Amino acid sequence: MTDHVIVTGGSGLLGASVVRLLLEEENVKPVVMDINRDPARLADVMDKIEYVQGDVSDPELLNSTFASFKPKTIYHIAAVLGDTCENKPHLAIKVNIDGFLSLLEAARDNGMAQVLFSSSGTTYGVDLEEGEMLTDKTVQRPASFYGVTKVFGENAGRYFKLKYGLDYRGIHYPAIAGPGLRDAGMVTYASAIIEKSVKGEPYTVPVSPDIRLSLAYVKDCARAIIQLGKAPVENIKTVNYFINGVQNPLPSSGEMVEMVKKRIPGAQIDFDVNEDWDRLLKSASHPVDDSSSIAEWGWKPQCDTYEKLIDAYIEDLKT
């Protein structure tokens, strides 16, 4: 018997990686829900998945899709991302807040067993000491509107877990690096300095060389949310988890550039600081304590240094 699982935002960087890992499992068929009419990242696997094109914040679409496929798990990755949230906050509310609430209600009403939520380390940021370690006890005071919407999502999921027994679990993701660069956002420099250099294109980093950003490779991030979902429910105490990819001490953006230049001779990279982005990223530039993930569901990244991340990135660009 084939089990359907839903991946919202499944044509994006993280979502497509989750879909590909799920396709390696027996008796699992991903159902991708995405607004994208041309899911290029999934072009070679479209015959192996179900694709529902539409607005994942539409309650009618959510309910009809859940009723039709009766998924055992929902990976909710769809979101309006960082810099777009800053510029279009009403769109961010529609998708990230109203849309997720509609998804939780549809999951409850259709008897869905589990919701796994892609959150963000940007749910933290204000009133922290420079270099302060983020832990499960750190107060969430985001400096970005994206972080504001994700704080809502984490707490709404926890509420539905407590009130309705929904098996909700989430990850405060660090910045995610991976091939297929599309948009020039606040944190994409970690990917762009590799991808542009491999392609022989110059790149200007929009943040200062001293930014130290918590970072993970996309394949590690995809493995993490799947692994979290498989953990026995009795192990899940923390509910919303930090994960580390690249381990502490985190390299600065300047150090990352030097590592890329050593591996890609002739890389043309310089800096031109966007003050607004730099301010927001400095508020989010903190090491994280992922001991709860390690203890409760055995988290361990494969790309635990930026050097390994660079090598994996270059290899995946070839394929």
Side-chain angles (χ1 to χ4, degrees):
M1 180 178 177
T2 298
D3 290 322
H4 288 105
V5 296
I6 283 180
V7 184
T8 71
S11 77
L13 177 63
L14 175 58
S17 293
V18 170
V19 169
R20 290 179 180 280
L21 284 181
L22 291 171
L23 285 172
E24 296 176 5
E25 301 187 2
E26 292 185 6
N27 302 319
V28 171
K29 187 165 189 177
V31 178
V32 175
M33 298 183 69
D34 202 294
I35 201 167
N36 193 349
R37 296 182 182 276
D38 181 23
R41 286 192 175 98
L42 300 174
D44 61 323
V45 296
M46 289 296 285
D47 60 332
K48 300 176 183 177
I49 66 174
E50 300 285 349
Y51 194 81
V52 179
Q53 191 276 325
D55 185 349
V56 297
S57 64
D58 178 356
E60 291 187 7
L61 179 65
L62 290 167
N63 276 291
S64 63
T65 304
F66 292 1
S68 176
F69 292 103
K70 298 178 173 57
K72 67 171 188 176
T73 298
I74 302 163
Y75 297 87
H76 184 55
I77 299 169
V80 174
L81 299 178
D83 42 332
T84 303
C85 281
E86 298 298 311
N87 297 323
K88 298 179 179 180
H90 290 284
L91 175 63
I93 290 170
K94 176 179 180 291
V95 176
N96 296 5
I97 294 180
D98 294 343
F100 187 47
L101 180 57
S102 294
L103 183 143
L104 289 171
E105 291 177 329
R108 176 199 62 196
D109 295 345
N110 287 277
M112 303 298 98
Q114 186 180 66
V115 173
L116 301 168
F117 180 56
S118 168
S119 189
S120 168
T122 61
T123 55
Y124 301 83
V126 176
D127 297 333
L128 297 171
E129 299 294 331
E130 183 176 350
E132 180 179 342
M133 178 79 73
L134 303 183
T135 76
D136 300 323
K137 303 299 183 184
T138 305
V139 176
Q140 289 178 294
R141 291 177 179 146
S144 68
F145 198 72
Y146 177 63
V148 169
T149 68
K150 289 297 187 177
V151 168
F152 170 84
E154 290 184 18
N155 285 284
R158 189 188 292 272
Y159 173 80
F160 271 69
K161 180 181 180 71
L162 292 170
K163 186 172 179 65
Y164 302 110
L166 183 70
D167 184 10
Y168 163 85
R169 311 174 187 190
I171 295 178
H172 317 290
Y173 276 113
I176 300 175
L181 192 64
R182 301 279 178 87
D183 301 317
M186 280 186 279
V187 299
T188 53
Y189 72 86
S191 296
I193 59 177
I194 303 171
E195 190 157 335
K196 295 284 190 181
S197 297
V198 168
K199 294 177 179 179
E201 301 173 7
Y203 180 69
T204 298
V205 181
V207 299
S208 56
D210 62 342
I211 291 285
R212 295 183 184 273
L213 194 65
S214 184
L215 180 69
Y217 193 53
V218 63
K219 286 185 175 178
D220 276 336
C221 294
R223 282 195 311 106
I225 200 166
I226 294 173
Q227 185 176 334
L228 171 60
K230 291 180 177 180
V233 67
E234 61 269 19
N235 288 13
I236 303 301
K237 310 297 183 187
T238 306
V239 183
N240 291 302
Y241 294 89
F242 284 112
I243 63 166
N244 271 312
V246 175
Q247 300 293 295
N248 300 315
L250 300 170
S252 69
S253 52
E255 291 166 343
M256 290 161 59
V257 166
E258 292 307 311
M259 292 178 204
V260 171
K261 287 181 176 180
K262 286 182 180 178
R263 279 169 167 71
I264 309 173
Q268 303 173 58
I269 309 169
D270 59 12
F271 288 83
D272 185 14
V273 177
N274 178 315
E275 297 297 339
D276 288 338
W277 288 10
D278 202 60
R279 174 183 56 80
L280 288 172
L281 286 185
K282 281 182 176 175
S283 73
S285 297
H286 295 272
V288 303
D289 175 4
D290 62 353
S291 57
S292 294
S293 298
I294 296 168
E296 295 178 25
W297 45 279
W299 170 242
K300 182 177 175 61
Q302 293 178 352
C303 294
D304 57 3
T305 68
Y306 192 63
E307 291 92 339
K308 289 180 183 178
L309 189 155
I310 296 170
D311 292 341
Y313 200 125
I314 293 172
E315 187 62 30
D316 285 341
L317 277 174
K318 294 176 182 177
T319 59

